Amino acid sequence: MNAQSDERGGVARVAEPDSVTGDGAGPERELGSRAPAFIKASKPLHVSWQVGVFAVGLAVVAAGVAMLVLPGPGWFVIFGGMAIWATEFVWAQLVLRWTRRKVTEAAQKALDPKVRRRNILLTAAGLVIVAVLGAVYLWRFGLSLPWNVSE
């Protein structure tokens, strides 16, 4: 991406828009801090704000990573933490833009009629296989649970 840093205001901005994403959203938001103006006016206060935003975002991302192995919406929480970071950090804004672009591409690809037809056929074949295996189990063992089968 072609982001430039403005040393006076500490704000990065896009020099020239590469292209519009084509999803009807229009041009993307300006890169940089979204802190209130009175916080940006004072360098120590702005740095403290950034440390706080980073700490909160880190806690949310860490909780999301823990939820990948524990019960919970892990990826959703991780992207929530990235969104918190994106309120203050350009690198997180760029990661979220890339992620949004990839999700949009995947959604468009999934809606392609050929891909949808293939996915429906694969799902139907999988359901038939599961149904046949279930029928074989019921025919062989009846309605007993697997850990109660004595054979």
Side-chain angles (χ1 to χ4, degrees):
M1 203 61 45
N2 52 359
Q4 296 177 348
S5 177
D6 183 3
E7 294 299 325
R8 294 176 307 246
V11 176
R13 64 187 185 284
V14 176
E16 297 245 347
D18 292 335
S19 67
V20 177
T21 58
D23 59 358
E28 294 175 339
R29 292 180 93 176
E30 187 175 289
L31 295 173
S33 174
R34 293 190 181 98
F38 74 93
I39 290 177
K40 289 183 192 177
S42 170
K43 181 88 169 154
L45 188 58
H46 192 224
V47 169
S48 300
W49 177 269
Q50 287 181 327
V51 169
V53 167
F54 185 80
V56 170
L58 184 63
V60 172
V61 168
V65 170
M67 286 183 206
L68 291 176
V69 294
L70 300 172
W75 286 109
F76 184 73
V77 174
I78 289 172
F79 288 125
M82 288 295 297
I84 291 170
W85 280 339
T87 63
E88 199 58 35
F89 302 106
V90 173
W91 60 267
Q93 293 168 2
L94 296 175
V95 168
L96 282 180
R97 282 184 184 180
W98 178 83
T99 304
R100 186 176 300 126
R101 192 170 46 249
K102 291 299 179 183
V103 166
T104 302
E105 290 172 8
Q108 288 174 348
K109 186 176 179 181
L111 293 176
D112 181 30
K114 291 179 183 177
V115 174
R116 286 185 65 204
R117 195 172 318 128
R118 183 199 65 204
N119 290 345
I120 290 171
L121 289 173
L122 287 174
T123 302
L127 289 174
V128 167
I129 290 170
V130 168
V132 166
L133 290 175
V136 168
Y137 178 84
L138 286 175
W139 174 72
R140 177 118 166 106
F141 300 109
L143 286 176
S144 62
L145 297 173
W147 48 85
N148 292 335
V149 174
S150 60
E151 259 182 56

